[in-house]
Amino acid sequence: MQTPDWVARGQPHIWQPYAQMKTATPPLPVVRSHGSRLELADGRQLIDGVASWWTACHGYNHPHIAQAVRAQLDAMPHVMFGGLTHEPALTLARRLAALLGPGLDRVFYTDSGSVAVEVAMKMAVQFWLNQGERGRSRFLAFRGGYHGDTFGTMAVCDPDEGMHSLFRGMLAEHDIVDLPRDDAAMARLDAFLETRGPQLAGILVEPLVQGAGGMLLHDPEVLRRLRRLADRHGLLLIFDEIFTGFGRTGTLFAFEQAGIRPDIITLSKALTGGTLPLAATVASGRVFDAFWSDDPSHALMHGPTFMGNALACAAANASLDLFESEPRLAQARALSSALAAGLAPCRELAWVRDVRVLGAIGVVELDRIDDREALKRRLVEAGVWVRPFGNVVYLTPALTIAPDELDTLMRAVIAVLRAQRP
Ligand SMILES: Cc1ncc(COP(=O)(O)O)c(C=O)c1O
């Protein structure tokens, strides 16, 4: 099929993410999306197993979100948030606070996940500075973690999977340790914090699933241990729910499954149902109170140009409507059983190391993937959009994916993995 003219003319001017531009398979031109389908320029339809990096929780083009964005576009697409405010942003803040529950009720908007984490880190450091405690600029973060691509966030990602060696000398020093998965590890971390604690601003973790760092799962007990450690050593606990938020793990927020609460939480991705860029860093009253002062220098020093974008806030409000009016969490839980049953046959393959599922996340971990580009091509030829990384093939479909589409998606993955060692 012929390449569309806009690809031939535009592609020489584009720089794709995470891609060796010389050797990577050219990106697939998409002309339309609907539900769990991507329509390519040549007319092919792919079933989407990724939901655009886990954002499109209601599937693509949900009419309720589209209508809300259209109405907002007519009224006011965007105004600066410095000195001005508007109904979509305030309504969304109020609704997020209500959903997050007591203690997480002050919302700071940004426009990407990485920046939301940067703001959480800045909040935590300034929380201490405003109370006269200097020298607390380090964070405790975890191996296998991923928090973004900016310089601040790269420094708290997994040091091997992340870009620590590439940017050595430019990244801040933090303490990246193993998650405390048992009592002995907890005791070791406790002893470490006895000496390191006074230099730390907080503990930063992706609750229940370390996503882009390898789709690694941990038990809610790990989060309860971290809460205990944070309390014992007087540290702020920050949950990065940019991946896990909005139903992905089977509850609206992952922290609910641990029965404890963080001091700061970051949200993005599915916040707008995957339609527009928006992120939020939500702080507890205790954190906010450290900024509430007659001293202007105690203000939080951050303010992105597109902060609180009205279109994005309208989309997010419409997305929250759908969590109220449609059975998203029940769908996520049903997906969990369907993924567990559907992916189980992968266990029989000699090159599969593990199959694991949590909520609407299905992961097939291989011993290695020699040629990811070839694997991706074979998956596309099988009619599905799945984007393996590292040694992992994962499915994070829209929570609304139809059972027959999910079935086709999983059968395609199994057939491709079975046909040859990737
Ligand atoms: C847990 C987590 N934190 C932060 C980010 C960074 O978000 P963004 O790509 O919007 O900057 C991601 C993105 O995958 C993520 O999964």
Side-chain angles (χ1 to χ4, degrees):
M1 193 106 12
Q2 214 184 338
T3 312
D5 183 51
W6 52 266
V7 172
R9 286 156 58 103
Q11 190 59 25
H13 303 286
I14 212 77
W15 207 326
Q16 296 286 137
Y18 303 117
Q20 172 44 261
M21 294 298 290
K22 186 171 178 185
T23 54
T25 313
L28 297 173
V30 185
V31 291
R32 233 174 302 281
S33 58
H34 189 72
S36 286
R37 304 276 174 145
L38 299 173
E39 184 183 323
L40 304 185
D42 62 11
R44 273 181 298 166
Q45 289 219 358
L46 301 181
I47 298 178
D48 185 352
V50 185
S52 283
W53 277 329
W54 333 310
T55 61
C57 54
H58 314 289
Y60 296 111
N61 306 31
H62 197 292
H64 181 66
I65 301 183
Q67 193 278 330
V69 172
R70 259 186 236 114
Q72 188 59 44
L73 186 59
D74 287 341
M76 180 179 73
H78 178 73
V79 290
M80 63 190 281
F81 216 58
L84 302 176
T85 193
H86 50 77
E87 187 272 333
L90 295 196
T91 297
L92 179 60
R94 175 180 56 72
R95 293 177 78 181
L96 287 175
L99 289 171
L100 289 163
L104 286 166
D105 53 13
R106 199 56 80 147
V107 178
F108 191 96
Y109 292 119
T110 50
D111 36 30
S112 78
S114 301
V115 177
V117 176
E118 294 266 351
V119 168
M121 294 169 72
K122 205 184 229 188
M123 258 179 202
V125 170
Q126 207 181 335
F127 167 83
W128 294 109
L129 288 176
N130 285 359
Q131 297 174 90
E133 280 219 41
R134 310 199 74 79
R136 283 185 179 267
S137 57
R138 297 175 76 101
F139 286 86
L140 185 77
F142 298 95
R143 289 194 178 280
Y146 175 80
H147 300 285
D149 288 349
T150 54
F151 276 98
T153 57
M154 276 193 292
V156 283
C157 290
D158 182 280
D160 302 323
E161 290 296 316
M163 293 166 261
H164 288 222
S165 55
L166 188 58
F167 295 108
R168 197 177 300 289
M170 295 185 69
L171 299 184
E173 294 272 322
H174 299 293
D175 295 298
I176 317 280
V177 302
D178 291 331
L179 280 168
R181 288 179 190 272
D182 54 34
D183 289 344
M186 166 84 171
R188 281 195 300 278
L189 200 47
D190 196 21
F192 175 72
L193 291 177
E194 227 20 84
T195 50
R196 180 65 96 201
Q199 294 170 47
L200 295 176
I203 303 177
L204 171 62
V205 69
E206 298 157 85
L208 299 188
V209 193
Q210 294 178 298
M215 298 289 172
L216 307 165
L217 310 182
H218 55 262
D219 199 79
E221 180 57 21
V222 169
L223 303 175
R224 289 190 281 272
R225 288 196 184 107
L226 293 179
R227 182 69 271 180
R228 284 201 295 280
L229 284 172
D231 290 344
R232 197 174 305 160
H233 297 277
L235 303 173
L236 294 177
L237 182 60
I238 305 170
F239 282 175
D240 177 351
E241 291 233 23
I242 286 165
F243 174 31
T244 52
F246 303 104
R248 186 52 65 187
T249 66
T251 45
L252 194 59
F253 303 106
F255 75 78
E256 294 168 35
Q257 294 180 43
I260 47 102
R261 317 173 64 72
D263 301 298
I264 301 176
I265 189 168
T266 56
L267 304 169
S268 187
K269 300 232 185 236
L271 173 57
T272 62
T275 54
L276 284 158
L278 184 67
T281 307
V282 188
S284 68
R286 174 179 166 230
V287 171
F288 182 74
D289 284 350
F291 293 77
W292 183 265
S293 150
D294 294 324
D295 183 344
S297 76
H298 285 183
L300 178 63
M301 288 304 180
H302 210 91
T305 304
F306 282 99
M307 175 171 187
N309 176 262
L311 286 177
C313 290
N317 277 312
S319 176
L320 294 187
D321 293 343
L322 294 174
F323 276 97
E324 286 169 11
S325 62
E326 298 187 1
R328 279 303 164 271
L329 298 183
Q331 286 167 322
R333 288 191 284 269
L335 270 176
S336 193
S337 344
L339 286 166
L343 294 177
C346 294
R347 288 183 209 279
E348 292 153 20
L349 304 176
W351 39 88
V352 167
R353 193 189 278 172
D354 188 29
V355 177
R356 49 185 181 266
V357 170
L358 178 70
I361 307 166
V363 184
V364 182
E365 183 181 325
L366 286 79
D367 50 11
R368 59 172 203 274
I369 300 177
D370 288 333
D371 190 344
R372 269 192 300 276
E373 291 294 328
L375 176 57
K376 246 186 299 177
R377 274 196 300 276
R378 285 198 289 276
L379 288 160
V380 169
E381 282 157 17
V384 297
W385 177 239
V386 177
R387 196 166 185 273
F389 70 86
N391 62 342
V392 153
V393 178
Y394 70 92
L395 298 179
T396 50
L399 306 181
T400 51
I401 190 168
D404 61 323
E405 289 176 320
L406 181 66
D407 203 48
T408 310
L409 178 63
M410 292 190 294
R411 281 176 196 279
V413 168
I414 293 167
V416 167
L417 290 182
R418 185 175 279 151
Q420 64 187 92
R421 173 186 267 283

